[in-house]
C-alpha cells in the first residue's frame, strides 16, 4: 500500500540546514513522520503529483522551536507574585504552594503550558518538575515531544516524599516510556545547592545506565557560587566536574556565573547549555556569557524557564530578548545576530537534547517537526529578510499551523489534540484553590 504523502509549501522555507538555505516558494514532502524531500514548490509538485497539499501563499515554514528548559506546570503560578528577590519569592509564595500540589494540578497546569507552547511555535520541550508522571501524561496526550524527569533534591518532595522513592519513581518512568516515540525520560536533579554529592553521583549512575540526559540548574546566581564554595570549597562547575557529571549528556540551565576557564572546561567536556535570558532578567540574576560560550564552541539552546519567572513560554518573545540583551550587555549591535539566535532556538536545542541528527532543521531524513507562520500582517510587511523577522518582528501568535512527527497538532490556530477551553476553565478553578493556600 502506498504511504500517505503531504506536500507543505509556502512563500518562504527556512531550512536551518548546514548551508542555512532559505527557499522562496519552497516546499517539503512529509512521508509518515519524516521529511523525504525539500526544494522549490514547482519541482516537488511535479515529482509528487499524488501527494496531499497544504500551500500557504503568505506562509513561512520553519523547524519547530525547541524549548530546552522549562517547568511547564508552573503556569499555575503565573503572575501570583512578581517583582521580588528570588529567595523571598520562592520561600513566601512558591515553595509553600508547591508543597500542596497534587498530580492532577500538575497535569492541568502542564496541559495549559503545552497549549501555549503549541500556539507560539514550540514543538519540543525539556521539563523538570514534581509529579513527572503527570507531566508525561499531559505531554503524551498533546502529541508534543518532551524530555522530562522528576525533580530530585535532598529535602522531602510533595510528590514522592523521601529521596529513595524519587529514584524509584524515576525507574518507573524509564520503564514506562522506554519505547515511546515522543517522550524521553531524563534525570533532573534540581541544583548543586539543593542536591548532595551522593544524590548527584546516584543521578550520574542512573543516567549512564539508561543512556539518559541530565538536566540541572547551574551557576544561576552569585549566591549559588558562594554557597557552593562555602560547602565544598569549589565553584559549581568544578564541583560537578569532581563528581563526574560534566559530559555531553549534561544540559546545564542558566550558567550565568562562569569564568573564562569554566567556559573552556564546559566546552572540553561537551556540556550543553540551556540559556534562559528572560528568567535571568526578571529575577535580576544577571546575563549569561552566551556570546563567549558560542565562541568557545559550546552547544547552546534557548529555554523560557517556568511561567512563574518569565511569565510566558513564548520562544519568539524569548528570541527577541536574547538577541537584544546581549547587544546591550556588550554594547555591540552585532552580537547575537538574528541568524545565530534562530539557530540556537532550533538546531541548538536539538543538539542540547542529543537530537542534532533527528530534529532542529528541515532536511531530508529528519523528523517532520515544523511550524507555519502567517506573514500577511502589517507588522510583518514588507519582508527583506525573513530570518530578521523571526527574531525582531514575529510574535508567537503569528504561528498558524504546527506539526510534530508528521502529525498536525494545530491547524489555523486551532489545537487539534487538546481541549483548550476546558483546560482554561480548569485552570481558573485551580487558581481559586491556589489563592486560598
Ligand atoms: Zn528552571
Amino acid at each position: 500500500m502506498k504511504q500517505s504523502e503531504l506536500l507543505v509549501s509556502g512563500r518562504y522555507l527556512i531550512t536551518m540546514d548546514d548551508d542555512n538555505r532559505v527557499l522562496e516558494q519552497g516546499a517539503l514532502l512529509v512521508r509518515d513522520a519524516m521529511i523525504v524531500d525539500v526544494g522549490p514548490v514547482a519541482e516537488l509538485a511535479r515529482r509528487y503529483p499524488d501527494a496531499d497539499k497544504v500551500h500557504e501563499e503568505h506562509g513561512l515554514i520553519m523547524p519547530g522551536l525547541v524549548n530546552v528548559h522549562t517547568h511547564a506546570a508552573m503556569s499555575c503560578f503565573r503572575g501570583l507574585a512578581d517583582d521580588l528577590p528570588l529567595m523571598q519569592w520562592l520561600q513566601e509564595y512558591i515553595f509553600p504552594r508547591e508543597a500542596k500540589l497534587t498530580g492532577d494540578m500538575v497535569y492541568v497546569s502542564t496541559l495549559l503550558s503545552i497549549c501555549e507552547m503549541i500556539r507560539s511555535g514550540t514543538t519540543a520541550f525539556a521539563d523538570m518538575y514534581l509529579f513527572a508522571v503527570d507531566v508525561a501524561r499531559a505531554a503524551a496526550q498533546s502529541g508534543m515531544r518532551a524530555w522530562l524527569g522528576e525533580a530530585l533534591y535532598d529535602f522531602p518532595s510533595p510528590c514522592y516524599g523521601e529521596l529513595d522513592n524519587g529514584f524509584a519513581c524515576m525507574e518507573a518512568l524509564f520503564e514506562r516510556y522506554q519505547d515511546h516515540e515522543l517522550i524521553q525520560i531524563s534525570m533532573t536533579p534540581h541544583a548543586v545547592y539543593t542536591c548532595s554529592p551522593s544524590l548527584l553521583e546516584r543521578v550520574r549512575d542512573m543516567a549512564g545506565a539508561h543512556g539518559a540526559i541530565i538536566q540541572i540548574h547551574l551557576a544561576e546566581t552569585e549566591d549559588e557560587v558562594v554557597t557552593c564554595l562555602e560547602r565544598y570549597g569549589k565553584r559549581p562547575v568544578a564541583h560537578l566536574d569532581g563528581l563526574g557529571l560534566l559530559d555531553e549528556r549534561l544540559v546545564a540551565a542558566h550558567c550565568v556565573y562562569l569564568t573564562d576557564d569554566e567556559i573552556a572546561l564546559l566546552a572540553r567536556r561537551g556540556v550543553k547549555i540551556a540559556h534562559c535570558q528572560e528568567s535571568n532578567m526578571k529575577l535580576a540574576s544577571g546575563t549569561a556569557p552566551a556570546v563567549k560560550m558560542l565562541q568557545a564552541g559550546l552547544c547552546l539552546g534557548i529555554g523560557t524557564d517556568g511561567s512563574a519567572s518569565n511569565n510566558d513560554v513564548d520562544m519568539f518573545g524569548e528570541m527577541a530578548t536574547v538577541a537584544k540583551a546581549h547587544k546591550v550587555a556588550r554594547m555591540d549591535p552585532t552580537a547575537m545576530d538574528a541568524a545565530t539566535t534562530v539557530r540556537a532556538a532550533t538546531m541548538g536545542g536539538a543538539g542540547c537534547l542529543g537530537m542534532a541528527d533527528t530534529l532542529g532543521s528541515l532536511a531530508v531524513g529528519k523528523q517532520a517537526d515544523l511550524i507555519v507562520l502567517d506573514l500577511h500582517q502589517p507588522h510583518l510587511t514588507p519582508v527583506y529578510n525573513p530570518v530578521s523577522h523571526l527574531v525582531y518582528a514575529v510574535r508567537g501568535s503569528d504561528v498558524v499551523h504546527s506539526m510534530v512527527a508528521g502529525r498536525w497538532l494545530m491547524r489555523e490556530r486551532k489545537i487539534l489534540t487538546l481541549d483548550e477551553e476546558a483546560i482554561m476553565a480548569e485552570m481558573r478553578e485551580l487558581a481559586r484553590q491556589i489563592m486560598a493556600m
Side-chain angles (χ1 to χ4, degrees):
M1 201 183 93
K2 188 180 154 295
Q3 289 171 311
S4 71
E5 291 181 334
L6 176 67
L7 187 70
V8 185
S9 58
R11 185 166 153 202
Y12 294 103
L13 182 84
I14 312 285
T15 64
M16 300 313 295
D17 66 9
D18 293 342
D19 304 321
N20 270 325
R21 280 190 305 157
V22 175
L23 305 180
E24 268 190 69
Q25 299 302 322
L28 53 79
L29 191 87
V30 178
R31 188 180 295 144
D32 296 325
M34 309 272 286
I35 297 167
V36 296
D37 208 345
V38 177
V41 61
E43 213 174 281
L44 265 63
R46 257 197 314 276
R47 211 174 293 161
Y48 306 99
D50 300 332
D52 293 330
K53 292 177 179 63
V54 170
H55 178 73
E56 290 294 342
E57 187 186 349
H58 300 284
L60 179 150
I61 304 158
M62 67 178 291
L65 303 175
V66 182
N67 184 347
V68 281
H69 181 73
T70 190
H71 313 282
M74 291 188 85
S75 62
C76 66
F77 301 129
R78 184 191 341 254
L80 173 73
D82 300 297
D83 311 320
L84 293 169
L86 174 66
M87 289 326 283
Q88 189 187 354
W89 174 71
L90 281 176
Q91 284 167 355
E92 290 180 21
Y93 293 91
I94 301 299
F95 287 159
R97 287 173 172 89
E98 280 187 335
K100 295 177 187 163
L101 279 181
T102 66
D104 283 336
M105 288 172 164
V106 167
Y107 171 66
V108 172
S109 306
T110 304
L111 285 176
L112 184 79
S113 220
I114 287 175
C115 287
E116 191 188 343
M117 284 194 266
I118 294 173
R119 285 186 160 277
S120 51
T122 295
T123 53
F125 69 103
D127 196 87
M128 169 199 292
Y129 208 57
L130 310 161
F131 299 94
V133 67
D134 296 290
V135 176
R137 183 159 63 102
Q141 194 182 333
S142 73
M144 265 184 91
R145 258 178 231 283
W147 278 254
L148 59 93
E150 185 69 35
L152 300 172
Y153 35 60
D154 295 324
F155 39 94
S157 153
C159 170
Y160 54 76
E162 295 304 316
L163 184 59
D164 276 343
N165 301 331
F167 282 97
C169 187
M170 284 301 306
E171 282 295 0
L173 281 168
F174 279 119
E175 167 89 27
R176 182 154 167 193
Y177 286 96
Q178 58 184 341
D179 296 321
H180 200 283
E181 281 174 46
L182 301 175
I183 299 201
Q184 303 280 336
I185 302 306
S186 59
M187 299 299 299
T188 48
H190 178 262
V192 295
Y193 59 95
T194 45
C195 297
S196 68
S198 66
L199 189 166
L200 291 170
E201 284 171 336
R202 225 170 138 182
V203 161
R204 174 200 66 201
D205 294 345
M206 190 181 265
H210 290 279
I213 63 167
I214 301 174
Q215 306 183 50
I216 193 169
H217 296 105
L218 183 64
E220 179 176 359
T221 63
E222 209 156 21
D223 262 7
E224 175 182 337
V225 178
V226 169
T227 303
C228 194
L229 275 167
E230 280 170 6
R231 269 190 221 163
Y232 306 114
K234 291 176 180 173
R235 292 169 57 90
V237 169
H239 177 58
L240 280 191
D241 198 33
L243 295 170
L245 265 84
L246 295 191
D247 63 25
E248 65 286 344
R249 284 204 317 271
L250 187 75
V251 182
H254 302 302
C255 294
V256 175
Y257 289 90
L258 296 183
T259 64
D260 289 351
D261 287 347
E262 286 170 333
I263 292 173
L265 176 64
L266 292 174
R268 275 203 304 282
R269 298 278 189 264
V271 171
K272 312 298 197 298
I273 309 297
H275 179 39
C276 304
Q277 184 64 38
E278 288 192 357
S279 172
N280 297 155
M281 287 167 70
K282 183 156 183 275
L283 293 166
S285 302
T287 297
V291 172
K292 280 188 178 181
M293 290 193 262
L294 286 169
Q295 284 166 351
L298 277 158
C299 177
L300 179 135
I302 294 177
T304 57
D305 213 350
S307 285
S309 62
N310 186 304
N311 288 358
D312 59 48
V313 289
D314 181 340
M315 285 284 286
F316 281 102
E318 192 74 34
M319 279 197 280
T321 303
V322 166
K324 291 170 194 163
H326 292 289
K327 295 181 202 312
V328 73
R330 299 171 68 89
M331 291 304 281
D332 174 5
T334 70
M336 202 57 91
D337 61 55
T340 303
T341 308
V342 178
R343 183 154 284 274
T346 52
M347 278 306 299
C352 283
L353 301 171
M355 302 295 282
D357 294 335
T358 316
L359 303 176
S361 65
L362 301 181
V364 173
K366 287 212 167 176
Q367 290 281 300
D369 286 21
L370 59 90
I371 54 176
V372 182
L373 281 60
D374 176 19
L375 299 180
H376 190 50
Q377 307 188 67
H379 69 282
L380 301 177
T381 304
V383 182
Y384 298 111
N385 173 359
V387 175
S388 154
H389 274 11
L390 296 179
V391 176
Y392 301 119
V394 162
R395 302 165 191 149
S397 54
D398 299 325
V399 178
V400 286
H401 311 313
S402 168
M403 173 185 279
V404 170
R407 176 191 186 197
W408 290 115
L409 302 189
M410 179 170 75
R411 286 299 304 273
E412 310 292 355
R413 293 202 62 68
K414 179 176 171 38
I415 296 181
L416 305 176
T417 49
L418 301 173
D419 183 346
E420 274 185 295
E421 285 300 325
I423 293 163
M424 286 191 286
E426 281 188 69
M427 177 54 77
R428 284 190 289 269
E429 180 52 40
L430 181 56
R432 275 191 278 276
Q433 294 174 39
I434 287 172
M435 276 307 288
M437 279 177 178

